[in-house]
Amino acid sequence: MAEMKQPVAIIGAGISGLIACKFVAQKGLHPVVYEAEDGIGGVWARTINSTKLQNHKSTYEFCDFPWPSSVQTDYPSHQQVLDYLHSYALHFDILPFINFNSRVLSIDYDTDGVDEMESYSPQLWGGTGLPFAKEPRWILEVQDTKTNTVQVHRAGFVILCMGKYSGMPYIPEFPPNEGPEVFHGKVLHSMDYASISKNKIGGVSACTQLVKGKKVAVVGSLKSAMDIAMECAEANGAENPCTLLVRNPHWLTPSDQAWGVDIGLLYNSRFSELLVHKPGENFLLSVIATLLSPVRWGISKFVESYLRWKLPLKKHGMLPKHSFFVEVSSCQVATIPPKFYQKVEEGSIVLRKSNSFTFSKNGLVIDDDDTQPVEADVVILATGYQGNQKLKSIFRSTTFQKYISTSPTSIMPLYRQVIQPRIPQLAVIGYAEGISDLFSSDMRCQWLVHVLDGSFKLPSIKEMEEEIRSWEMNMKEYAGEYFWRSCVGINNIWYNDQLCKDMGRKYFRKQSILAELFHPYLPSDYASLSNE
């Protein structure tokens, strides 16, 4: 089919972009990768020096490219992860497909003058249900970041692998005269902090130079905030303690075990998924999940009891209000830096809780009137990113912007967490989360290339939207206020089962019934998937 050789534009050369390129090329299609930076790796190329992998490496690997034996640690450093990605790119000869220093400013769908809303069949994706039109319809405006020149390219299909945790930082809004503009010190986002972490001044890290001898306040409660606070504490000690301002404490784990039991056994097995309701489940599975809900509650309390014992959470006011199960359901489980609470105990890190804050000329004013303001010379905002807005803004069409965007009461509307039913010839990889972002992207890219080569056709738009709603209801049921993260973590195996069924692959992949029920499912279980 001639149309199968149309360019497949892949935007981003992070983890998802590399995997997408590899599978698209292996299918005999024509991938063209656009990467704004001068190298691969995405967020792993722009993270702070002390960052390590939060997942056990066995869960964070390519299905068909294991970690090298030279990496002995269970939680590799960010440089080891980056080296691993480079090895993958070299092994599968991905680099020749990548256009570096090429920022995609916008994408637009050529409707040949026909109103966009009229160009779709009410039943089929793109009007035909096919992944390619007769001619390439996507128009990409691409800027050379070295010369600032802009060129226009066409593609038959677009895969957005832009990442949701980079590029567009979330900065809280402040009342007039109470924002960063009134602060006499320096304010930066964790993204900016990470960007200077590789620079050295006189042999010393630029980040160390930034915080050394300064009063530093870090705003945030997840992994980036903790890592930055640790770096500041190690640079200054108790003489100039780092203040970590936390709104909602989270269950951060010191390791992948609780009371000697692998947490993966508790939350990443078929048995663990019997304890929860699943989108599209049958009556029997529904009854089992209802009957076993006390077991689910007990497992959560089991892990929480260990974390309460292991870490002085109550002493420092860091006990979360939500359960560990909610943490898993919203894909927010992370590891706490080693010796973090030792730094708290010695006074190198000061923990403060606050629902909101504003700036003064000398630091931060928190919402509790009975407490003292936080004096600071440097404020680092580890407040996250606007992944939804970043994705939305690349579309020129306001109609497509409406289709791809989320509201405060909805998730990103993607079928199989990949396809927006009303946007033709386009896929999104890397937005929805699972137990491991690399593993999730690998599975989704394998599924997507089966769509691209016509191995199976997508359901009708109506059926896809009904499926999206069922997953949204499931996420809202378990993830509480964090449902918007589009997390399939507690139903990760069930989700992968659906992908395997679509591809015509077996989904029970263990060697025995006991292993199938109780052993964690890992990327290695799907190593032969593409060859079956």
Side-chain angles (χ1 to χ4, degrees), residues 467-497:
E467 179 78 2
I468 291 169
R469 280 191 289 271
S470 70
W471 277 92
E472 178 174 304
M473 290 173 61
N474 183 261
M475 293 175 192
K476 289 179 176 179
E477 179 179 0
Y478 292 124
E481 63 180 297
Y482 302 108
F483 74 88
W484 50 269
R485 292 177 66 92
S486 294
C487 170
V488 299
I490 57 167
N491 278 316
N492 206 77
I493 300 171
W494 177 262
Y495 169 76
N496 286 336
D497 286 351

PDB file of all heavy atoms in Angstrom, residues 467-497:
ATOM      1  N   GLU A 467     -15.527   3.318  25.976  1.00  0.00           N
ATOM      2  CA  GLU A 467     -14.398   2.689  26.660  1.00  0.00           C
ATOM      3  C   GLU A 467     -13.622   3.713  27.486  1.00  0.00           C
ATOM      4  O   GLU A 467     -13.217   3.454  28.624  1.00  0.00           O
ATOM      5  CB  GLU A 467     -13.473   2.029  25.630  1.00  0.00           C
ATOM      6  CG  GLU A 467     -12.244   1.350  26.212  1.00  0.00           C
ATOM      7  CD  GLU A 467     -12.542  -0.011  26.820  1.00  0.00           C
ATOM      8  OE1 GLU A 467     -13.704  -0.455  26.767  1.00  0.00           O
ATOM      9  OE2 GLU A 467     -11.614  -0.624  27.361  1.00  0.00           O
ATOM     10  N   ILE A 468     -13.428   4.893  26.916  1.00  0.00           N
ATOM     11  CA  ILE A 468     -12.736   5.973  27.641  1.00  0.00           C
ATOM     12  C   ILE A 468     -13.498   6.323  28.913  1.00  0.00           C
ATOM     13  O   ILE A 468     -12.907   6.492  29.984  1.00  0.00           O
ATOM     14  CB  ILE A 468     -12.589   7.220  26.737  1.00  0.00           C
ATOM     15  CG1 ILE A 468     -11.603   6.943  25.603  1.00  0.00           C
ATOM     16  CG2 ILE A 468     -12.119   8.427  27.556  1.00  0.00           C
ATOM     17  CD1 ILE A 468     -11.586   8.009  24.525  1.00  0.00           C
ATOM     18  N   ARG A 469     -14.816   6.432  28.816  1.00  0.00           N
ATOM     19  CA  ARG A 469     -15.623   6.771  29.985  1.00  0.00           C
ATOM     20  C   ARG A 469     -15.536   5.688  31.063  1.00  0.00           C
ATOM     21  O   ARG A 469     -15.504   5.996  32.255  1.00  0.00           O
ATOM     22  CB  ARG A 469     -17.084   6.999  29.573  1.00  0.00           C
ATOM     23  CG  ARG A 469     -17.344   8.369  28.975  1.00  0.00           C
ATOM     24  CD  ARG A 469     -18.836   8.653  28.843  1.00  0.00           C
ATOM     25  NE  ARG A 469     -19.443   7.836  27.795  1.00  0.00           N
ATOM     26  CZ  ARG A 469     -19.523   8.200  26.514  1.00  0.00           C
ATOM     27  NH1 ARG A 469     -19.028   9.363  26.134  1.00  0.00           N
ATOM     28  NH2 ARG A 469     -20.110   7.410  25.633  1.00  0.00           N
ATOM     29  N   SER A 470     -15.470   4.438  30.647  1.00  0.00           N
ATOM     30  CA  SER A 470     -15.386   3.364  31.642  1.00  0.00           C
ATOM     31  C   SER A 470     -14.065   3.415  32.404  1.00  0.00           C
ATOM     32  O   SER A 470     -14.029   3.182  33.618  1.00  0.00           O
ATOM     33  CB  SER A 470     -15.570   1.999  30.966  1.00  0.00           C
ATOM     34  OG  SER A 470     -14.453   1.660  30.160  1.00  0.00           O
ATOM     35  N   TRP A 471     -12.984   3.744  31.720  1.00  0.00           N
ATOM     36  CA  TRP A 471     -11.695   3.877  32.406  1.00  0.00           C
ATOM     37  C   TRP A 471     -11.685   5.114  33.302  1.00  0.00           C
ATOM     38  O   TRP A 471     -11.123   5.101  34.391  1.00  0.00           O
ATOM     39  CB  TRP A 471     -10.558   3.935  31.391  1.00  0.00           C
ATOM     40  CG  TRP A 471     -10.140   2.568  30.938  1.00  0.00           C
ATOM     41  CD1 TRP A 471     -10.613   1.888  29.846  1.00  0.00           C
ATOM     42  CD2 TRP A 471      -9.216   1.690  31.586  1.00  0.00           C
ATOM     43  NE1 TRP A 471     -10.031   0.648  29.774  1.00  0.00           N
ATOM     44  CE2 TRP A 471      -9.165   0.503  30.813  1.00  0.00           C
ATOM     45  CE3 TRP A 471      -8.420   1.803  32.718  1.00  0.00           C
ATOM     46  CZ2 TRP A 471      -8.331  -0.574  31.165  1.00  0.00           C
ATOM     47  CZ3 TRP A 471      -7.595   0.732  33.067  1.00  0.00           C
ATOM     48  CH2 TRP A 471      -7.563  -0.438  32.301  1.00  0.00           C
ATOM     49  N   GLU A 472     -12.325   6.182  32.839  1.00  0.00           N
ATOM     50  CA  GLU A 472     -12.393   7.387  33.661  1.00  0.00           C
ATOM     51  C   GLU A 472     -13.151   7.123  34.955  1.00  0.00           C
ATOM     52  O   GLU A 472     -12.710   7.536  36.038  1.00  0.00           O
ATOM     53  CB  GLU A 472     -13.061   8.520  32.883  1.00  0.00           C
ATOM     54  CG  GLU A 472     -13.215   9.807  33.697  1.00  0.00           C
ATOM     55  CD  GLU A 472     -13.754  10.950  32.860  1.00  0.00           C
ATOM     56  OE1 GLU A 472     -13.150  11.268  31.826  1.00  0.00           O
ATOM     57  OE2 GLU A 472     -14.785  11.527  33.258  1.00  0.00           O
ATOM     58  N   MET A 473     -14.262   6.429  34.870  1.00  0.00           N
ATOM     59  CA  MET A 473     -15.032   6.103  36.072  1.00  0.00           C
ATOM     60  C   MET A 473     -14.218   5.247  37.034  1.00  0.00           C
ATOM     61  O   MET A 473     -14.265   5.433  38.257  1.00  0.00           O
ATOM     62  CB  MET A 473     -16.327   5.387  35.674  1.00  0.00           C
ATOM     63  CG  MET A 473     -17.342   6.265  34.971  1.00  0.00           C
ATOM     64  SD  MET A 473     -18.755   5.308  34.338  1.00  0.00           S
ATOM     65  CE  MET A 473     -19.418   4.632  35.859  1.00  0.00           C
ATOM     66  N   ASN A 474     -13.434   4.319  36.474  1.00  0.00           N
ATOM     67  CA  ASN A 474     -12.606   3.460  37.303  1.00  0.00           C
ATOM     68  C   ASN A 474     -11.529   4.266  38.018  1.00  0.00           C
ATOM     69  O   ASN A 474     -11.262   4.077  39.218  1.00  0.00           O
ATOM     70  CB  ASN A 474     -11.965   2.376  36.428  1.00  0.00           C
ATOM     71  CG  ASN A 474     -11.151   1.390  37.231  1.00  0.00           C
ATOM     72  OD1 ASN A 474      -9.929   1.503  37.308  1.00  0.00           O
ATOM     73  ND2 ASN A 474     -11.802   0.403  37.837  1.00  0.00           N
ATOM     74  N   MET A 475     -10.895   5.191  37.303  1.00  0.00           N
ATOM     75  CA  MET A 475      -9.856   6.034  37.908  1.00  0.00           C
ATOM     76  C   MET A 475     -10.438   6.916  39.009  1.00  0.00           C
ATOM     77  O   MET A 475      -9.848   7.087  40.070  1.00  0.00           O
ATOM     78  CB  MET A 475      -9.179   6.892  36.838  1.00  0.00           C
ATOM     79  CG  MET A 475      -8.360   6.105  35.831  1.00  0.00           C
ATOM     80  SD  MET A 475      -7.708   7.172  34.526  1.00  0.00           S
ATOM     81  CE  MET A 475      -7.134   5.949  33.338  1.00  0.00           C
ATOM     82  N   LYS A 476     -11.622   7.458  38.750  1.00  0.00           N
ATOM     83  CA  LYS A 476     -12.251   8.317  39.751  1.00  0.00           C
ATOM     84  C   LYS A 476     -12.652   7.535  40.992  1.00  0.00           C
ATOM     85  O   LYS A 476     -12.603   8.050  42.115  1.00  0.00           O
ATOM     86  CB  LYS A 476     -13.478   9.011  39.152  1.00  0.00           C
ATOM     87  CG  LYS A 476     -13.144  10.090  38.138  1.00  0.00           C
ATOM     88  CD  LYS A 476     -14.402  10.732  37.572  1.00  0.00           C
ATOM     89  CE  LYS A 476     -14.051  11.873  36.625  1.00  0.00           C
ATOM     90  NZ  LYS A 476     -15.257  12.511  36.040  1.00  0.00           N
ATOM     91  N   GLU A 477     -13.019   6.265  40.796  1.00  0.00           N
ATOM     92  CA  GLU A 477     -13.434   5.442  41.918  1.00  0.00           C
ATOM     93  C   GLU A 477     -12.298   5.214  42.907  1.00  0.00           C
ATOM     94  O   GLU A 477     -12.517   5.201  44.124  1.00  0.00           O
ATOM     95  CB  GLU A 477     -13.944   4.087  41.406  1.00  0.00           C
ATOM     96  CG  GLU A 477     -14.394   3.139  42.515  1.00  0.00           C
ATOM     97  CD  GLU A 477     -14.915   1.815  41.987  1.00  0.00           C
ATOM     98  OE1 GLU A 477     -14.923   1.626  40.750  1.00  0.00           O
ATOM     99  OE2 GLU A 477     -15.318   0.969  42.809  1.00  0.00           O
ATOM    100  N   TYR A 478     -11.080   5.061  42.404  1.00  0.00           N
ATOM    101  CA  TYR A 478      -9.975   4.661  43.271  1.00  0.00           C
ATOM    102  C   TYR A 478      -8.934   5.741  43.539  1.00  0.00           C
ATOM    103  O   TYR A 478      -8.313   5.758  44.604  1.00  0.00           O
ATOM    104  CB  TYR A 478      -9.275   3.437  42.678  1.00  0.00           C
ATOM    105  CG  TYR A 478     -10.130   2.196  42.710  1.00  0.00           C
ATOM    106  CD1 TYR A 478     -10.404   1.489  41.541  1.00  0.00           C
ATOM    107  CD2 TYR A 478     -10.681   1.737  43.900  1.00  0.00           C
ATOM    108  CE1 TYR A 478     -11.196   0.350  41.559  1.00  0.00           C
ATOM    109  CE2 TYR A 478     -11.472   0.607  43.935  1.00  0.00           C
ATOM    110  CZ  TYR A 478     -11.726  -0.090  42.765  1.00  0.00           C
ATOM    111  OH  TYR A 478     -12.516  -1.210  42.800  1.00  0.00           O
ATOM    112  N   ALA A 479      -8.710   6.648  42.584  1.00  0.00           N
ATOM    113  CA  ALA A 479      -7.641   7.641  42.750  1.00  0.00           C
ATOM    114  C   ALA A 479      -8.101   8.907  43.459  1.00  0.00           C
ATOM    115  O   ALA A 479      -7.289   9.785  43.743  1.00  0.00           O
ATOM    116  CB  ALA A 479      -7.031   7.997  41.390  1.00  0.00           C
ATOM    117  N   GLY A 480      -9.398   9.010  43.745  1.00  0.00           N
ATOM    118  CA  GLY A 480      -9.892  10.179  44.466  1.00  0.00           C
ATOM    119  C   GLY A 480      -9.607  11.465  43.725  1.00  0.00           C
ATOM    120  O   GLY A 480      -9.785  11.557  42.504  1.00  0.00           O
ATOM    121  N   GLU A 481      -9.107  12.452  44.439  1.00  0.00           N
ATOM    122  CA  GLU A 481      -8.866  13.772  43.842  1.00  0.00           C
ATOM    123  C   GLU A 481      -7.729  13.769  42.831  1.00  0.00           C
ATOM    124  O   GLU A 481      -7.540  14.728  42.084  1.00  0.00           O
ATOM    125  CB  GLU A 481      -8.547  14.795  44.937  1.00  0.00           C
ATOM    126  CG  GLU A 481      -7.276  14.491  45.719  1.00  0.00           C
ATOM    127  CD  GLU A 481      -7.001  15.529  46.786  1.00  0.00           C
ATOM    128  OE1 GLU A 481      -6.791  16.705  46.432  1.00  0.00           O
ATOM    129  OE2 GLU A 481      -6.995  15.167  47.972  1.00  0.00           O
ATOM    130  N   TYR A 482      -6.967  12.675  42.767  1.00  0.00           N
ATOM    131  CA  TYR A 482      -5.824  12.612  41.855  1.00  0.00           C
ATOM    132  C   TYR A 482      -6.147  11.868  40.559  1.00  0.00           C
ATOM    133  O   TYR A 482      -5.248  11.514  39.802  1.00  0.00           O
ATOM    134  CB  TYR A 482      -4.637  11.927  42.543  1.00  0.00           C
ATOM    135  CG  TYR A 482      -4.193  12.617  43.809  1.00  0.00           C
ATOM    136  CD1 TYR A 482      -4.435  12.042  45.051  1.00  0.00           C
ATOM    137  CD2 TYR A 482      -3.535  13.845  43.764  1.00  0.00           C
ATOM    138  CE1 TYR A 482      -4.030  12.670  46.227  1.00  0.00           C
ATOM    139  CE2 TYR A 482      -3.133  14.478  44.932  1.00  0.00           C
ATOM    140  CZ  TYR A 482      -3.384  13.888  46.164  1.00  0.00           C
ATOM    141  OH  TYR A 482      -2.982  14.517  47.312  1.00  0.00           O
ATOM    142  N   PHE A 483      -7.441  11.637  40.270  1.00  0.00           N
ATOM    143  CA  PHE A 483      -7.833  10.856  39.094  1.00  0.00           C
ATOM    144  C   PHE A 483      -7.306  11.458  37.806  1.00  0.00           C
ATOM    145  O   PHE A 483      -7.056  10.754  36.819  1.00  0.00           O
ATOM    146  CB  PHE A 483      -9.363  10.759  39.013  1.00  0.00           C
ATOM    147  CG  PHE A 483     -10.016  12.044  38.583  1.00  0.00           C
ATOM    148  CD1 PHE A 483     -10.214  12.334  37.247  1.00  0.00           C
ATOM    149  CD2 PHE A 483     -10.428  12.977  39.534  1.00  0.00           C
ATOM    150  CE1 PHE A 483     -10.803  13.526  36.854  1.00  0.00           C
ATOM    151  CE2 PHE A 483     -11.023  14.168  39.150  1.00  0.00           C
ATOM    152  CZ  PHE A 483     -11.202  14.442  37.800  1.00  0.00           C
ATOM    153  N   TRP A 484      -7.132  12.776  37.775  1.00  0.00           N
ATOM    154  CA  TRP A 484      -6.738  13.484  36.552  1.00  0.00           C
ATOM    155  C   TRP A 484      -5.370  13.047  36.029  1.00  0.00           C
ATOM    156  O   TRP A 484      -5.001  13.362  34.892  1.00  0.00           O
ATOM    157  CB  TRP A 484      -6.710  14.993  36.809  1.00  0.00           C
ATOM    158  CG  TRP A 484      -5.929  15.364  38.047  1.00  0.00           C
ATOM    159  CD1 TRP A 484      -6.413  15.505  39.313  1.00  0.00           C
ATOM    160  CD2 TRP A 484      -4.520  15.580  38.149  1.00  0.00           C
ATOM    161  NE1 TRP A 484      -5.406  15.811  40.201  1.00  0.00           N
ATOM    162  CE2 TRP A 484      -4.234  15.867  39.524  1.00  0.00           C
ATOM    163  CE3 TRP A 484      -3.473  15.578  37.233  1.00  0.00           C
ATOM    164  CZ2 TRP A 484      -2.947  16.135  39.973  1.00  0.00           C
ATOM    165  CZ3 TRP A 484      -2.177  15.846  37.693  1.00  0.00           C
ATOM    166  CH2 TRP A 484      -1.931  16.122  39.043  1.00  0.00           C
ATOM    167  N   ARG A 485      -4.630  12.284  36.833  1.00  0.00           N
ATOM    168  CA  ARG A 485      -3.296  11.862  36.380  1.00  0.00           C
ATOM    169  C   ARG A 485      -3.369  10.760  35.317  1.00  0.00           C
ATOM    170  O   ARG A 485      -2.348  10.349  34.771  1.00  0.00           O
ATOM    171  CB  ARG A 485      -2.476  11.365  37.575  1.00  0.00           C
ATOM    172  CG  ARG A 485      -2.113  12.468  38.553  1.00  0.00           C
ATOM    173  CD  ARG A 485      -1.374  11.905  39.747  1.00  0.00           C
ATOM    174  NE  ARG A 485      -0.065  11.371  39.368  1.00  0.00           N
ATOM    175  CZ  ARG A 485       1.056  12.065  39.396  1.00  0.00           C
ATOM    176  NH1 ARG A 485       1.039  13.329  39.772  1.00  0.00           N
ATOM    177  NH2 ARG A 485       2.204  11.509  39.060  1.00  0.00           N
ATOM    178  N   SER A 486      -4.578  10.286  35.009  1.00  0.00           N
ATOM    179  CA  SER A 486      -4.754   9.236  33.994  1.00  0.00           C
ATOM    180  C   SER A 486      -3.831   8.052  34.279  1.00  0.00           C
ATOM    181  O   SER A 486      -2.962   7.696  33.482  1.00  0.00           O
ATOM    182  CB  SER A 486      -4.488   9.781  32.586  1.00  0.00           C
ATOM    183  OG  SER A 486      -5.449  10.734  32.222  1.00  0.00           O
ATOM    184  N   CYS A 487      -4.036   7.440  35.432  1.00  0.00           N
ATOM    185  CA  CYS A 487      -3.183   6.347  35.891  1.00  0.00           C
ATOM    186  C   CYS A 487      -3.906   5.013  35.762  1.00  0.00           C
ATOM    187  O   CYS A 487      -5.024   4.861  36.244  1.00  0.00           O
ATOM    188  CB  CYS A 487      -2.785   6.593  37.346  1.00  0.00           C
ATOM    189  SG  CYS A 487      -1.972   5.203  38.147  1.00  0.00           S
ATOM    190  N   VAL A 488      -3.244   4.045  35.137  1.00  0.00           N
ATOM    191  CA  VAL A 488      -3.808   2.697  35.031  1.00  0.00           C
ATOM    192  C   VAL A 488      -3.067   1.728  35.955  1.00  0.00           C
ATOM    193  O   VAL A 488      -3.128   0.516  35.773  1.00  0.00           O
ATOM    194  CB  VAL A 488      -3.765   2.169  33.577  1.00  0.00           C
ATOM    195  CG1 VAL A 488      -4.578   3.067  32.668  1.00  0.00           C
ATOM    196  CG2 VAL A 488      -2.329   2.050  33.071  1.00  0.00           C
ATOM    197  N   GLY A 489      -2.383   2.263  36.954  1.00  0.00           N
ATOM    198  CA  GLY A 489      -1.489   1.471  37.798  1.00  0.00           C
ATOM    199  C   GLY A 489      -2.112   0.263  38.462  1.00  0.00           C
ATOM    200  O   GLY A 489      -1.548  -0.831  38.428  1.00  0.00           O
ATOM    201  N   ILE A 490      -3.296   0.429  39.077  1.00  0.00           N
ATOM    202  CA  ILE A 490      -3.872  -0.707  39.809  1.00  0.00           C
ATOM    203  C   ILE A 490      -4.491  -1.740  38.886  1.00  0.00           C
ATOM    204  O   ILE A 490      -4.791  -2.857  39.301  1.00  0.00           O
ATOM    205  CB  ILE A 490      -4.928  -0.238  40.835  1.00  0.00           C
ATOM    206  CG1 ILE A 490      -6.031   0.563  40.137  1.00  0.00           C
ATOM    207  CG2 ILE A 490      -4.290   0.547  41.962  1.00  0.00           C
ATOM    208  CD1 ILE A 490      -7.233   0.772  41.017  1.00  0.00           C
ATOM    209  N   ASN A 491      -4.683  -1.363  37.610  1.00  0.00           N
ATOM    210  CA  ASN A 491      -5.207  -2.310  36.623  1.00  0.00           C
ATOM    211  C   ASN A 491      -4.238  -2.452  35.450  1.00  0.00           C
ATOM    212  O   ASN A 491      -4.639  -2.650  34.305  1.00  0.00           O
ATOM    213  CB  ASN A 491      -6.572  -1.842  36.109  1.00  0.00           C
ATOM    214  CG  ASN A 491      -7.695  -2.221  37.064  1.00  0.00           C
ATOM    215  OD1 ASN A 491      -7.730  -3.342  37.557  1.00  0.00           O
ATOM    216  ND2 ASN A 491      -8.589  -1.288  37.334  1.00  0.00           N
ATOM    217  N   ASN A 492      -2.960  -2.370  35.753  1.00  0.00           N
ATOM    218  CA  ASN A 492      -1.947  -2.368  34.705  1.00  0.00           C
ATOM    219  C   ASN A 492      -1.952  -3.668  33.893  1.00  0.00           C
ATOM    220  O   ASN A 492      -1.831  -3.657  32.672  1.00  0.00           O
ATOM    221  CB  ASN A 492      -0.561  -2.144  35.316  1.00  0.00           C
ATOM    222  CG  ASN A 492       0.398  -1.531  34.323  1.00  0.00           C
ATOM    223  OD1 ASN A 492       0.353  -0.341  34.047  1.00  0.00           O
ATOM    224  ND2 ASN A 492       1.280  -2.355  33.765  1.00  0.00           N
ATOM    225  N   ILE A 493      -2.085  -4.809  34.576  1.00  0.00           N
ATOM    226  CA  ILE A 493      -2.081  -6.095  33.877  1.00  0.00           C
ATOM    227  C   ILE A 493      -3.347  -6.234  33.036  1.00  0.00           C
ATOM    228  O   ILE A 493      -3.300  -6.665  31.879  1.00  0.00           O
ATOM    229  CB  ILE A 493      -1.962  -7.258  34.882  1.00  0.00           C
ATOM    230  CG1 ILE A 493      -0.660  -7.125  35.690  1.00  0.00           C
ATOM    231  CG2 ILE A 493      -1.994  -8.597  34.162  1.00  0.00           C
ATOM    232  CD1 ILE A 493      -0.561  -8.093  36.849  1.00  0.00           C
ATOM    233  N   TRP A 494      -4.476  -5.868  33.616  1.00  0.00           N
ATOM    234  CA  TRP A 494      -5.748  -5.886  32.886  1.00  0.00           C
ATOM    235  C   TRP A 494      -5.673  -5.002  31.642  1.00  0.00           C
ATOM    236  O   TRP A 494      -6.141  -5.389  30.558  1.00  0.00           O
ATOM    237  CB  TRP A 494      -6.860  -5.418  33.814  1.00  0.00           C
ATOM    238  CG  TRP A 494      -8.229  -5.310  33.216  1.00  0.00           C
ATOM    239  CD1 TRP A 494      -8.837  -4.177  32.736  1.00  0.00           C
ATOM    240  CD2 TRP A 494      -9.180  -6.367  33.029  1.00  0.00           C
ATOM    241  NE1 TRP A 494     -10.095  -4.451  32.272  1.00  0.00           N
ATOM    242  CE2 TRP A 494     -10.337  -5.794  32.449  1.00  0.00           C
ATOM    243  CE3 TRP A 494      -9.174  -7.723  33.314  1.00  0.00           C
ATOM    244  CZ2 TRP A 494     -11.465  -6.540  32.143  1.00  0.00           C
ATOM    245  CZ3 TRP A 494     -10.304  -8.481  33.006  1.00  0.00           C
ATOM    246  CH2 TRP A 494     -11.434  -7.886  32.428  1.00  0.00           C
ATOM    247  N   TYR A 495      -5.068  -3.849  31.792  1.00  0.00           N
ATOM    248  CA  TYR A 495      -4.894  -2.925  30.665  1.00  0.00           C
ATOM    249  C   TYR A 495      -4.024  -3.564  29.581  1.00  0.00           C
ATOM    250  O   TYR A 495      -4.377  -3.557  28.387  1.00  0.00           O
ATOM    251  CB  TYR A 495      -4.268  -1.623  31.158  1.00  0.00           C
ATOM    252  CG  TYR A 495      -3.796  -0.709  30.061  1.00  0.00           C
ATOM    253  CD1 TYR A 495      -4.699   0.045  29.317  1.00  0.00           C
ATOM    254  CD2 TYR A 495      -2.437  -0.597  29.756  1.00  0.00           C
ATOM    255  CE1 TYR A 495      -4.265   0.883  28.297  1.00  0.00           C
ATOM    256  CE2 TYR A 495      -1.993   0.232  28.747  1.00  0.00           C
ATOM    257  CZ  TYR A 495      -2.906   0.971  28.021  1.00  0.00           C
ATOM    258  OH  TYR A 495      -2.471   1.790  26.999  1.00  0.00           O
ATOM    259  N   ASN A 496      -2.897  -4.157  29.976  1.00  0.00           N
ATOM    260  CA  ASN A 496      -2.032  -4.814  28.998  1.00  0.00           C
ATOM    261  C   ASN A 496      -2.728  -6.001  28.341  1.00  0.00           C
ATOM    262  O   ASN A 496      -2.473  -6.313  27.181  1.00  0.00           O
ATOM    263  CB  ASN A 496      -0.723  -5.257  29.652  1.00  0.00           C
ATOM    264  CG  ASN A 496       0.205  -4.086  29.923  1.00  0.00           C
ATOM    265  OD1 ASN A 496       0.126  -3.047  29.268  1.00  0.00           O
ATOM    266  ND2 ASN A 496       1.088  -4.244  30.900  1.00  0.00           N
ATOM    267  N   ASP A 497      -3.611  -6.662  29.088  1.00  0.00           N
ATOM    268  CA  ASP A 497      -4.401  -7.758  28.504  1.00  0.00           C
ATOM    269  C   ASP A 497      -5.212  -7.259  27.312  1.00  0.00           C
ATOM    270  O   ASP A 497      -5.319  -7.937  26.290  1.00  0.00           O
ATOM    271  CB  ASP A 497      -5.358  -8.354  29.544  1.00  0.00           C
ATOM    272  CG  ASP A 497      -4.653  -9.214  30.586  1.00  0.00           C
ATOM    273  OD1 ASP A 497      -3.445  -9.487  30.420  1.00  0.00           O
ATOM    274  OD2 ASP A 497      -5.323  -9.600  31.564  1.00  0.00           O
TER     275      ASP A 497
END
